Amino acid sequence: MENQLIDRQLLLAIEQGEIDKARTLLNAGASVTFQDADGRTALMVATQKNNLEIAKLLIEAGSNVNTRDITMLSPYICAGANGFHEILSLTISAGADLKSVNRFGGTPLLPSSEKGYLKTVQVALAAGIPVDYANKLGWTALLEAVILGNGGLLYTDVIQELILAGADIHLKDNHKISSCEHAIKMGQTRVIQVMNGETVDHPVVQKTKQILHENNLESAMDFVEEALLSDSNNIELHYYKGYILGEMKKHDRACMVYNQALQINPDALEFYFYTANALRMAKKPEKALEEYDKAIAKDQTETFYLYHKSNYLRELGRHEEAVDTMNILLALQPNRYDFSFHKANSLRSLGRHEEAVNEIENAIKNDITNPLYYLHKAQSLNLMQDYEEAIKVLTQAISLDQSDENLFVEMTKAQLALGNTEQAKVFIEKIKMIDANHQSLAGFNA
């Protein structure tokens, strides 16, 4: 009990960013393997807080970058999903399992492409994470960047990086639509040009991007600022100046530059996304959310800003607000199975399991052969203690996919809850056949 007290003190110190206290607690015997009720280690807390200095300290103290929390996130996956590229690089150097995926079956490359975290995408690709790997929604990183992007300056750069790394623009999703076809349907002119191998960048931008690839931020800044002296109304140059400032961690100055671009062209709504990202990295959540709202108010039929606002609300743990935002999205696009899926997960986080089951039904209706949705429906049913119904749903899911150990984990839980020990043992053996070291096995004694 005394050991757990010091372990919890370590997590609290990290939550509050107190590195000296964290170092003292480690020296006093605090464990880097301790996990709280959410399965978070000290390193996971440091990662969520994007505290590079503390993350370094914990990795040096022996923290495991692959330990998962109850949502199946590890510090490695979490860093990638949140665009914390410096911590992602640390975890890769410390032995991250590059084959590991999140609960949606995605590597860090997928959520970083989805959210427009360009530098994180570059780090993931440089580490050798497969560019055409598809998650359980049937989406590759390129499909995510097109479907959930806006075709603007940032997403075009993300897509360009993926294509240069060998991404196949003709790979199709579960509905037999390729990223190229999605881009055409969504009117992403700039993205289509990149996919066709055309040059879309201003000559100064081409040189700037070359310098950025050499990680020479100061030279890139000098080059862009010189160009702006003779072309002060070029918002593309303003974007790159803001981007460079962000990489320099000068987030307030980046916001100023993005706002200058909005003064030049008030219809360039993508710059609200850039200001929101800068404020997020500056750890100013309320101001970041205000930027999303400005864009949403200017175009209430556009889903891009609503979706990324909902992403950020989930990241902040503000699931009530995330559900409200997803309701607006689903009113605009009721057949979006990914919207229903995210809403259902927020509802489950709020303990509203019956509503989560109802919402996941909409995802199933619109993507009927995808076992991912059946799995999440069963997880909610297990939490509601409706084990017999969970078994029915899981039986259907397993008929669609016998390679996902998570299906067998949930089936084992349901069988044990009903006292079906012998049947549970069968499913435990299935888990072992898929992944003998699966952490979920530790909870089963059957």
Side-chain angles (χ1 to χ4, degrees), residues 36-215:
D36 67 8
D38 294 321
R40 302 182 309 163
T41 60
L43 180 58
M44 177 61 90
V45 176
T47 301
Q48 290 173 331
K49 292 292 182 182
N50 194 22
N51 194 314
L52 180 63
E53 195 176 3
I54 293 180
K56 282 181 179 176
L57 173 69
L58 292 166
I59 289 173
E60 288 168 3
S63 293
N64 188 336
V65 300
N66 297 307
T67 301
R68 294 181 183 269
D69 66 11
I70 60 171
T71 66
M72 298 300 289
L73 281 179
S74 65
Y76 157 68
I77 296 171
C78 179
N82 287 291
F84 303 150
H85 64 84
E86 291 169 308
I87 296 181
L88 178 64
S89 294
L90 269 184
T91 63
I92 291 168
S93 297
D97 177 4
L98 299 185
K99 294 180 180 178
S100 62
V101 295
N102 60 24
R103 58 182 170 164
F104 315 126
T107 67
L109 181 61
L110 277 85
S112 57
S113 299
E114 167 202 342
K115 297 171 186 175
Y117 299 144
L118 176 59
K119 187 65 177 179
T120 309
V121 168
Q122 292 169 336
V123 169
L125 290 171
I129 295 175
V131 70
D132 279 334
Y133 180 87
N135 65 12
K136 292 177 183 177
L137 282 86
W139 292 350
T140 61
L142 183 56
L143 280 160
E144 295 239 346
V146 173
I147 295 168
L148 297 167
N150 64 351
L153 295 165
L154 172 59
Y155 276 93
T156 301
D157 282 352
V158 169
I159 287 163
Q160 197 167 47
E161 289 289 336
L162 294 169
I163 290 172
L164 285 171
D168 186 344
I169 66 172
H170 300 297
L171 279 181
K172 298 180 184 293
D173 62 18
N174 287 349
H175 292 277
K176 310 303 180 188
I177 304 172
S178 69
S179 56
C180 184
E181 291 164 333
H182 276 292
I184 293 168
K185 183 180 176 182
M186 297 171 76
Q188 295 183 359
T189 306
R190 190 178 175 89
V191 169
I192 296 162
Q193 289 175 305
V194 167
M195 288 181 170
N196 289 335
E198 299 173 31
T199 301
V200 296
D201 294 325
H202 185 286
V204 173
V205 169
Q206 291 181 47
K207 179 64 176 177
T208 302
K209 287 163 73 170
Q210 180 184 332
I211 299 170
L212 285 172
H213 268 283
E214 296 164 1
N215 291 317

Side-chain angles (χ1 to χ4, degrees), residues 256-389:
M256 289 173 61
V257 173
Y258 293 144
N259 282 320
Q260 287 168 5
L262 279 163
Q263 288 171 11
I264 295 165
N265 182 1
D267 294 326
L269 300 189
E270 66 186 276
F271 280 84
Y272 289 114
F273 181 64
Y274 307 146
T275 54
N277 272 343
L279 289 162
R280 169 185 174 267
M281 293 304 288
K283 301 183 181 179
K284 297 179 179 179
E286 297 308 323
K287 289 188 177 294
L289 290 167
E290 285 174 12
E291 294 301 300
Y292 285 118
D293 287 338
K294 288 175 187 175
I296 292 163
K298 285 180 176 287
D299 188 352
Q300 296 183 17
T301 63
E302 172 59 67
T303 60
F304 173 79
Y305 304 101
L306 281 162
Y307 175 75
H308 287 278
K309 178 185 177 182
S310 75
N311 257 345
Y312 187 38
L313 287 166
R314 284 191 294 274
E315 180 187 323
L316 293 169
R318 292 163 62 166
H319 292 287
E320 291 279 5
E321 294 165 86
V323 168
D324 291 341
T325 306
M326 297 310 297
N327 284 336
I328 300 169
L329 281 165
L330 283 161
L332 292 169
Q333 295 190 11
N335 297 326
R336 283 290 293 268
Y337 45 85
D338 55 319
F339 290 171
S340 288
F341 179 62
H342 287 307
K343 180 184 170 184
N345 277 303
S346 280
L347 287 165
R348 194 167 67 209
S349 295
L350 292 166
R352 293 158 61 179
H353 303 306
E354 191 169 344
E355 291 174 75
V357 168
N358 291 335
E359 193 58 47
I360 208 73
E361 286 289 354
N362 189 55
I364 291 170
K365 182 177 73 175
N366 289 292
D367 195 8
I368 197 165
T369 61
N370 193 329
L372 175 67
Y373 307 126
Y374 295 96
L375 167 63
H376 283 258
K377 179 180 177 181
Q379 287 173 334
S380 290
L381 289 166
N382 272 343
L383 289 167
M384 292 165 63
Q385 299 183 3
D386 192 350
Y387 303 116
E388 291 184 355
E389 187 61 29

Side-chain angles (χ1 to χ4, degrees), residues 398-432:
I398 290 167
S399 72
L400 296 168
D401 181 8
Q402 296 192 25
S403 65
D404 185 350
E405 71 268 29
N406 294 305
L407 294 171
F408 297 110
V409 167
E410 289 302 315
M411 180 67 91
T412 303
K413 289 178 184 176
Q415 296 288 359
L416 286 173
L418 292 173
N420 301 331
T421 306
E422 292 305 314
Q423 286 154 298
K425 285 180 179 179
V426 172
F427 293 110
I428 286 174
E429 290 305 312
K430 295 275 190 183
I431 297 167
K432 289 178 180 178

